Amino acid sequence: MKVLGKKAFSFPKSTKLLMTMIKQIPKDDATVLDFFAGSGTTAQAVLELNRQDGGNRKFILCTNNENNLCEEVTYPRIQTVITGRRQDGSAYAEGIPANLKYFKTEFVPKASEDLSEELLAHIAEMIELEHGIKLDGTEYLMILSDEEADALEANWQNYTDLKGIYLSSEVLLTTTQNRLFERVSVQRIPDYYFKFDLKEVGEAW
């Protein structure tokens, strides 16, 4: 194969074959999910197809990073396709303008005494992944309690660059807060992120 990252991958999938398969999806703005990312061929296929037909497809790749696969092969390869340059700075191709974000998660055992609280700690990652934003505390905020909503109201004048608020379903905004937050996008955090896991251990119905 043409070396894109630090290593050559022994048995990469065919980029052209994946492009042909993805093209069968009627929507040219679909999100393509690959739970077995390997060397990242799916990502390259999506990017190449978007350049070819002007689509706006997205991809989500998952890997357990066995033998540092993600860090040393998958991620560098996708960077190379996007930038057009390999990790050593040598030219590979023209490059395909796109955004790339890398999330590293940790294992949360279902036998945990407080599973819901431990999963809650990963809500921010789920929001960022689904919406393609960064909860930076300046343009985008996450509010998980009434106290946090009250604090935002009290310091509202300091959030002139705020674009969006992601709100827990447990938070009840006051009339004043609803009116105050009208100038930005307010979205409720969906309960489907971890509902299946919580159902399995009897913490949700």
Side-chain angles (χ1 to χ4, degrees):
M1 70 169 286
K2 207 171 183 180
V3 180
L4 303 182
K6 291 184 180 179
K7 302 177 181 178
F9 199 69
S10 301
F11 303 102
K13 295 185 286 289
S14 165
T15 305
K16 289 184 178 179
L17 174 60
L18 281 176
M19 287 174 67
T20 300
M21 293 172 65
I22 295 168
K23 202 168 185 178
Q24 305 311 306
I25 302 171
K27 297 173 63 178
D28 66 1
D29 61 349
T31 298
V32 180
L33 174 62
D34 185 349
F35 275 113
F36 303 95
S39 65
T41 307
T42 298
Q44 182 170 358
V46 168
L47 293 168
E48 296 277 8
L49 189 55
N50 281 344
R51 177 166 61 180
Q52 187 181 94
D53 65 10
N56 189 34
R57 302 170 188 84
K58 302 176 181 64
F59 58 83
I60 299 174
L61 307 187
C62 305
T63 173
N64 63 4
N65 199 34
E66 185 178 2
N67 297 321
N68 295 323
L69 175 65
C70 182
E71 297 172 1
E72 297 183 9
V73 179
T74 318
Y75 188 76
R77 175 184 183 174
I78 303 169
Q79 276 191 316
T80 296
V81 173
I82 291 172
T83 64
R85 293 199 166 272
R86 298 182 178 89
Q87 301 301 295
D88 62 7
S90 62
Y92 165 71
E94 184 180 342
I96 305 172
N99 295 315
L100 179 63
K101 191 156 188 176
Y102 175 6
F103 291 91
K104 189 173 182 178
T105 62
E106 60 186 34
F107 179 71
V108 179
K110 290 182 180 178
S112 172
E113 291 184 4
D114 202 346
L115 181 61
S116 57
E117 286 298 317
E118 289 196 37
L119 290 175
L120 190 63
H122 296 280
I123 286 289
E125 297 162 4
M126 299 295 287
I127 293 171
E128 290 179 336
L129 185 61
E130 180 172 355
H131 297 276
I133 56 97
K134 174 68 176 174
L135 291 168
D136 55 7
T138 301
E139 292 189 338
Y140 297 96
L141 288 174
M142 179 174 66
I143 295 178
L144 299 179
S145 68
D146 292 336
E147 290 74 21
E148 290 180 2
D150 293 341
L152 177 59
E153 177 185 357
N155 297 282
W156 185 247
Q157 70 279 1
N158 298 326
Y159 290 90
T160 54
D161 295 326
L162 190 62
K163 296 179 180 177
I165 299 170
Y166 292 86
L167 202 64
S168 167
S169 58
E170 302 297 319
V171 175
L172 297 175
L173 297 179
T174 65
T175 302
T176 302
Q177 289 168 352
N178 273 313
R179 187 166 57 248
L180 196 62
F181 302 162
E182 275 183 350
R183 73 168 176 83
V184 302
S185 170
V186 178
Q187 297 192 51
R188 290 285 176 179
I189 299 171
D191 61 4
Y192 57 71
Y193 284 159
F194 303 115
K195 195 167 185 179
F196 177 78
D197 303 89
L198 295 174
K199 274 184 177 180
E200 278 198 319
V201 296
E203 291 192 29
W205 304 98

